[in-house]
Short mmCIF file of all heavy atoms in Angstrom, two decimals:
data_model
loop_
_atom_site.label_atom_id
_atom_site.label_comp_id
_atom_site.label_asym_id
_atom_site.label_seq_id
_atom_site.Cartn_x
_atom_site.Cartn_y
_atom_site.Cartn_z
N LEU H 17 107.42 124.64 114.15
CA LEU H 17 107.95 124.22 115.44
C LEU H 17 106.86 124.28 116.51
O LEU H 17 106.09 125.23 116.58
CB LEU H 17 109.11 125.13 115.83
CG LEU H 17 109.81 124.83 117.15
CD1 LEU H 17 110.51 123.47 117.11
CD2 LEU H 17 110.82 125.93 117.46
N LEU H 18 106.83 123.27 117.37
CA LEU H 18 105.91 123.23 118.50
C LEU H 18 106.46 124.11 119.62
O LEU H 18 107.58 123.91 120.07
CB LEU H 18 105.77 121.79 118.98
CG LEU H 18 104.88 121.56 120.20
CD1 LEU H 18 103.44 121.96 119.91
CD2 LEU H 18 104.97 120.11 120.64
N LEU H 19 105.65 125.08 120.03
CA LEU H 19 106.02 125.97 121.13
C LEU H 19 104.91 126.00 122.17
O LEU H 19 103.73 125.82 121.83
CB LEU H 19 106.27 127.39 120.62
CG LEU H 19 107.43 127.60 119.67
CD1 LEU H 19 107.45 129.05 119.20
CD2 LEU H 19 108.75 127.22 120.32
N VAL H 20 105.28 126.27 123.41
CA VAL H 20 104.30 126.45 124.48
C VAL H 20 104.53 127.80 125.14
O VAL H 20 105.65 128.29 125.21
CB VAL H 20 104.39 125.32 125.55
CG1 VAL H 20 104.01 123.97 124.95
CG2 VAL H 20 105.75 125.26 126.20
N LEU H 21 103.43 128.39 125.60
CA LEU H 21 103.49 129.63 126.37
C LEU H 21 103.59 129.25 127.83
O LEU H 21 102.68 128.63 128.40
CB LEU H 21 102.24 130.47 126.12
CG LEU H 21 102.13 131.77 126.92
CD1 LEU H 21 103.31 132.71 126.61
CD2 LEU H 21 100.80 132.45 126.64
N ARG H 22 104.71 129.57 128.44
CA ARG H 22 104.96 129.22 129.84
C ARG H 22 104.09 130.08 130.77
O ARG H 22 104.05 131.29 130.63
CB ARG H 22 106.43 129.42 130.18
CG ARG H 22 107.33 128.61 129.28
CD ARG H 22 108.37 127.87 130.07
NE ARG H 22 108.96 126.84 129.24
CZ ARG H 22 108.54 125.59 129.21
NH1 ARG H 22 107.55 125.21 129.96
NH2 ARG H 22 109.12 124.70 128.43
N SER H 23 103.44 129.43 131.73
CA SER H 23 102.59 130.16 132.68
C SER H 23 103.26 130.36 134.03
O SER H 23 102.73 131.09 134.86
CB SER H 23 101.26 129.44 132.85
OG SER H 23 101.45 128.18 133.44
N LYS H 24 104.40 129.70 134.25
CA LYS H 24 105.09 129.78 135.54
C LYS H 24 106.58 130.06 135.32
O LYS H 24 107.12 129.76 134.26
CB LYS H 24 104.96 128.45 136.29
CG LYS H 24 103.54 128.06 136.62
CD LYS H 24 103.51 126.71 137.29
CE LYS H 24 102.07 126.26 137.54
NZ LYS H 24 101.99 124.90 138.05
N PRO H 25 107.26 130.61 136.33
CA PRO H 25 108.71 130.78 136.24
C PRO H 25 109.40 129.42 136.10
O PRO H 25 108.87 128.43 136.58
CB PRO H 25 109.10 131.44 137.55
CG PRO H 25 107.83 132.01 138.10
CD PRO H 25 106.72 131.13 137.58
N PRO H 26 110.54 129.34 135.51
CA PRO H 26 111.22 130.46 134.85
C PRO H 26 110.62 130.72 133.48
O PRO H 26 109.92 129.87 132.93
CB PRO H 26 112.66 129.96 134.73
CG PRO H 26 112.52 128.48 134.61
CD PRO H 26 111.32 128.10 135.45
N ALA H 27 110.89 131.87 132.95
CA ALA H 27 110.45 132.27 131.60
C ALA H 27 108.93 132.37 131.47
O ALA H 27 108.38 132.16 130.39
CB ALA H 27 111.03 131.34 130.54
N ALA H 28 108.24 132.70 132.57
CA ALA H 28 106.79 132.87 132.51
C ALA H 28 106.43 133.92 131.47
O ALA H 28 107.13 134.92 131.29
CB ALA H 28 106.25 133.27 133.87
N LEU H 29 105.34 133.65 130.77
CA LEU H 29 104.79 134.54 129.74
C LEU H 29 105.68 134.66 128.50
O LEU H 29 105.55 135.61 127.74
CB LEU H 29 104.44 135.92 130.31
CG LEU H 29 103.49 135.90 131.50
CD1 LEU H 29 103.24 137.30 132.00
CD2 LEU H 29 102.18 135.19 131.16
N THR H 30 106.56 133.69 128.30
CA THR H 30 107.33 133.62 127.06
C THR H 30 107.06 132.26 126.41
O THR H 30 106.62 131.31 127.06
CB THR H 30 108.85 133.78 127.29
OG1 THR H 30 109.34 132.69 128.07
CG2 THR H 30 109.17 135.10 127.97
N TRP H 31 107.32 132.20 125.13
CA TRP H 31 107.14 130.98 124.35
C TRP H 31 108.47 130.25 124.25
O TRP H 31 109.51 130.86 124.05
CB TRP H 31 106.62 131.33 122.96
CG TRP H 31 105.22 131.84 122.95
CD1 TRP H 31 104.82 133.12 123.18
CD2 TRP H 31 104.04 131.09 122.68
NE1 TRP H 31 103.45 133.20 123.08
CE2 TRP H 31 102.96 131.97 122.77
CE3 TRP H 31 103.79 129.74 122.38
CZ2 TRP H 31 101.64 131.56 122.56
CZ3 TRP H 31 102.49 129.33 122.17
CH2 TRP H 31 101.42 130.24 122.27
N SER H 32 108.40 128.92 124.36
CA SER H 32 109.60 128.09 124.28
C SER H 32 109.20 126.69 123.83
O SER H 32 108.02 126.38 123.71
CB SER H 32 110.31 128.04 125.63
OG SER H 32 111.55 127.40 125.51
N VAL H 33 110.21 125.84 123.62
CA VAL H 33 109.91 124.44 123.36
C VAL H 33 109.43 123.82 124.67
O VAL H 33 109.82 124.26 125.75
CB VAL H 33 111.13 123.69 122.78
CG1 VAL H 33 111.52 124.28 121.43
CG2 VAL H 33 112.30 123.69 123.72
N PRO H 34 108.57 122.81 124.60
CA PRO H 34 108.12 122.16 125.83
C PRO H 34 109.28 121.46 126.54
O PRO H 34 110.18 120.92 125.89
CB PRO H 34 107.07 121.16 125.36
CG PRO H 34 107.28 121.01 123.90
CD PRO H 34 107.98 122.23 123.41
N GLY H 35 109.25 121.49 127.86
CA GLY H 35 110.30 120.83 128.62
C GLY H 35 110.21 121.16 130.09
O GLY H 35 109.35 121.93 130.51
N GLY H 36 111.12 120.57 130.86
CA GLY H 36 111.12 120.83 132.29
C GLY H 36 112.20 120.04 132.99
O GLY H 36 113.04 119.39 132.36
N LYS H 37 112.15 120.08 134.32
CA LYS H 37 113.17 119.44 135.17
C LYS H 37 113.06 117.92 135.12
O LYS H 37 111.96 117.36 135.06
CB LYS H 37 113.03 119.89 136.62
CG LYS H 37 113.36 121.34 136.85
CD LYS H 37 113.41 121.66 138.32
CE LYS H 37 112.04 121.55 138.95
NZ LYS H 37 112.00 122.02 140.34
N CYS H 38 114.22 117.30 135.22
CA CYS H 38 114.29 115.84 135.33
C CYS H 38 113.87 115.42 136.74
O CYS H 38 114.25 116.07 137.72
CB CYS H 38 115.69 115.33 135.05
SG CYS H 38 116.31 115.65 133.39
N GLU H 39 113.11 114.36 136.85
CA GLU H 39 112.81 113.75 138.14
C GLU H 39 114.07 113.03 138.62
O GLU H 39 114.94 112.70 137.81
CB GLU H 39 111.65 112.76 137.99
CG GLU H 39 110.35 113.37 137.53
CD GLU H 39 109.71 114.28 138.55
OE1 GLU H 39 110.01 114.13 139.76
OE2 GLU H 39 108.91 115.14 138.16
N PRO H 40 114.19 112.77 139.92
CA PRO H 40 115.36 112.03 140.40
C PRO H 40 115.53 110.71 139.65
O PRO H 40 114.55 109.99 139.43
CB PRO H 40 115.03 111.77 141.88
CG PRO H 40 114.10 112.88 142.25
CD PRO H 40 113.28 113.15 141.01
N GLU H 41 116.74 110.46 139.19
CA GLU H 41 117.10 109.23 138.47
C GLU H 41 116.47 109.12 137.08
O GLU H 41 116.57 108.07 136.44
CB GLU H 41 116.76 107.98 139.29
CG GLU H 41 117.34 107.96 140.69
CD GLU H 41 118.86 108.09 140.71
OE1 GLU H 41 119.53 107.46 139.89
OE2 GLU H 41 119.36 108.85 141.56
N GLU H 42 115.78 110.16 136.60
CA GLU H 42 115.16 110.12 135.27
C GLU H 42 116.17 110.57 134.22
O GLU H 42 116.82 111.59 134.38
CB GLU H 42 113.93 111.05 135.26
CG GLU H 42 113.14 111.01 133.98
CD GLU H 42 111.91 111.90 134.03
OE1 GLU H 42 112.03 113.04 134.54
OE2 GLU H 42 110.85 111.48 133.55
N ARG H 43 116.27 109.82 133.16
CA ARG H 43 117.17 110.18 132.06
C ARG H 43 116.58 111.37 131.29
O ARG H 43 115.36 111.48 131.17
CB ARG H 43 117.38 109.00 131.12
CG ARG H 43 118.13 107.84 131.78
CD ARG H 43 118.43 106.70 130.84
NE ARG H 43 118.91 107.08 129.53
CZ ARG H 43 120.18 107.42 129.24
NH1 ARG H 43 121.08 107.43 130.21
NH2 ARG H 43 120.53 107.75 128.02
N PRO H 44 117.42 112.25 130.75
CA PRO H 44 116.90 113.41 130.03
C PRO H 44 115.96 113.05 128.87
O PRO H 44 114.98 113.76 128.64
CB PRO H 44 118.17 114.10 129.52
CG PRO H 44 119.23 113.70 130.48
CD PRO H 44 118.88 112.29 130.90
N GLU H 45 116.23 111.96 128.17
CA GLU H 45 115.34 111.56 127.07
C GLU H 45 113.94 111.26 127.59
O GLU H 45 112.94 111.63 126.96
CB GLU H 45 115.89 110.32 126.34
CG GLU H 45 117.20 110.54 125.65
CD GLU H 45 118.42 110.23 126.54
OE1 GLU H 45 118.33 110.31 127.80
OE2 GLU H 45 119.48 109.94 125.96
N ALA H 46 113.85 110.59 128.73
CA ALA H 46 112.55 110.28 129.33
C ALA H 46 111.86 111.55 129.81
O ALA H 46 110.63 111.70 129.67
CB ALA H 46 112.72 109.29 130.47
N THR H 47 112.63 112.48 130.36
CA THR H 47 112.07 113.76 130.78
C THR H 47 111.48 114.49 129.59
O THR H 47 110.36 115.04 129.66
CB THR H 47 113.15 114.64 131.43
OG1 THR H 47 113.66 113.97 132.58
CG2 THR H 47 112.60 116.01 131.83
N CYS H 48 112.19 114.50 128.49
CA CYS H 48 111.72 115.16 127.28
C CYS H 48 110.36 114.60 126.85
O CYS H 48 109.40 115.36 126.65
CB CYS H 48 112.76 114.98 126.16
SG CYS H 48 112.20 115.47 124.53
N VAL H 49 110.26 113.30 126.74
CA VAL H 49 109.00 112.66 126.31
C VAL H 49 107.89 112.97 127.29
O VAL H 49 106.76 113.33 126.90
CB VAL H 49 109.21 111.13 126.15
CG1 VAL H 49 107.89 110.41 125.95
CG2 VAL H 49 110.17 110.85 125.00
N ARG H 50 108.17 112.86 128.59
CA ARG H 50 107.16 113.13 129.62
C ARG H 50 106.68 114.57 129.58
O ARG H 50 105.47 114.85 129.59
CB ARG H 50 107.72 112.79 131.01
CG ARG H 50 106.77 113.11 132.17
CD ARG H 50 107.36 112.75 133.52
NE ARG H 50 108.65 113.34 133.81
CZ ARG H 50 108.85 114.63 134.16
NH1 ARG H 50 107.82 115.46 134.27
NH2 ARG H 50 110.08 115.07 134.43
N GLU H 51 107.63 115.51 129.53
CA GLU H 51 107.26 116.92 129.56
C GLU H 51 106.50 117.35 128.31
O GLU H 51 105.54 118.12 128.40
CB GLU H 51 108.51 117.78 129.74
CG GLU H 51 109.09 117.72 131.14
CD GLU H 51 108.29 118.52 132.16
OE1 GLU H 51 107.47 119.38 131.77
OE2 GLU H 51 108.49 118.29 133.36
N VAL H 52 106.90 116.88 127.14
CA VAL H 52 106.15 117.20 125.92
C VAL H 52 104.72 116.71 126.07
O VAL H 52 103.77 117.42 125.76
CB VAL H 52 106.83 116.63 124.66
CG1 VAL H 52 105.91 116.78 123.44
CG2 VAL H 52 108.16 117.30 124.39
N GLY H 53 104.55 115.49 126.57
CA GLY H 53 103.21 114.95 126.77
C GLY H 53 102.39 115.76 127.75
O GLY H 53 101.22 116.07 127.50
N GLU H 54 102.99 116.11 128.89
CA GLU H 54 102.27 116.86 129.91
C GLU H 54 101.87 118.26 129.43
O GLU H 54 100.79 118.74 129.74
CB GLU H 54 103.12 117.00 131.17
CG GLU H 54 103.30 115.71 131.94
CD GLU H 54 104.28 115.82 133.10
OE1 GLU H 54 104.85 116.91 133.34
OE2 GLU H 54 104.47 114.81 133.78
N GLU H 55 102.76 118.90 128.68
CA GLU H 55 102.51 120.29 128.28
C GLU H 55 101.72 120.44 126.99
O GLU H 55 101.15 121.51 126.75
CB GLU H 55 103.84 121.03 128.17
CG GLU H 55 104.52 121.18 129.51
CD GLU H 55 105.82 121.96 129.45
OE1 GLU H 55 106.25 122.38 128.36
OE2 GLU H 55 106.42 122.16 130.53
N THR H 56 101.69 119.39 126.15
CA THR H 56 101.05 119.54 124.83
C THR H 56 100.02 118.48 124.49
O THR H 56 99.30 118.62 123.51
CB THR H 56 102.10 119.53 123.71
OG1 THR H 56 102.62 118.21 123.57
CG2 THR H 56 103.21 120.54 123.97
N GLY H 57 99.95 117.40 125.25
CA GLY H 57 99.05 116.31 124.92
C GLY H 57 99.57 115.40 123.81
O GLY H 57 98.91 114.44 123.44
N LEU H 58 100.75 115.68 123.29
CA LEU H 58 101.31 114.88 122.20
C LEU H 58 102.28 113.84 122.74
O LEU H 58 103.07 114.11 123.64
CB LEU H 58 102.04 115.78 121.20
CG LEU H 58 101.17 116.81 120.48
CD1 LEU H 58 102.04 117.71 119.61
CD2 LEU H 58 100.08 116.12 119.65
N CYS H 59 102.22 112.66 122.16
CA CYS H 59 103.17 111.60 122.47
C CYS H 59 104.28 111.67 121.41
O CYS H 59 103.99 111.71 120.21
CB CYS H 59 102.47 110.25 122.41
SG CYS H 59 103.55 108.88 122.83
N VAL H 60 105.52 111.74 121.89
CA VAL H 60 106.65 111.85 120.97
C VAL H 60 107.66 110.76 121.25
O VAL H 60 107.68 110.18 122.33
CB VAL H 60 107.34 113.23 121.05
CG1 VAL H 60 106.39 114.35 120.65
CG2 VAL H 60 107.94 113.48 122.43
N GLU H 61 108.52 110.53 120.25
CA GLU H 61 109.69 109.69 120.46
C GLU H 61 110.91 110.51 120.09
O GLU H 61 110.86 111.36 119.19
CB GLU H 61 109.62 108.40 119.66
CG GLU H 61 109.67 108.57 118.17
CD GLU H 61 109.58 107.24 117.42
OE1 GLU H 61 109.38 106.20 118.05
OE2 GLU H 61 109.71 107.28 116.19
N VAL H 62 111.99 110.27 120.81
CA VAL H 62 113.23 110.99 120.58
C VAL H 62 113.92 110.44 119.33
O VAL H 62 114.07 109.22 119.20
CB VAL H 62 114.16 110.89 121.81
CG1 VAL H 62 115.55 111.42 121.50
CG2 VAL H 62 113.55 111.62 122.99
N ILE H 63 114.33 111.35 118.46
CA ILE H 63 115.11 110.98 117.27
C ILE H 63 116.60 111.06 117.60
O ILE H 63 117.36 110.13 117.33
CB ILE H 63 114.78 111.89 116.08
CG1 ILE H 63 113.30 111.76 115.71
CG2 ILE H 63 115.69 111.59 114.89
CD1 ILE H 63 112.83 112.80 114.70
#
Side-chain angles (χ1 to χ4, degrees):
L17 181 65
L18 178 63
L19 296 176
V20 295
L21 177 60
R22 303 227 164 267
S23 65
K24 298 177 184 174
L29 304 179
T30 65
W31 291 84
S32 188
V33 297
K37 292 189 293 187
C38 297
E39 298 291 337
E41 306 303 318
E42 185 178 42
R43 294 184 43 81
E45 296 90 334
T47 299
C48 169
V49 170
R50 176 179 55 76
E51 287 285 343
V52 170
E54 289 174 0
E55 294 182 358
T56 71
L58 297 175
C59 182
V60 298
E61 66 181 5
V62 170
I63 299 170

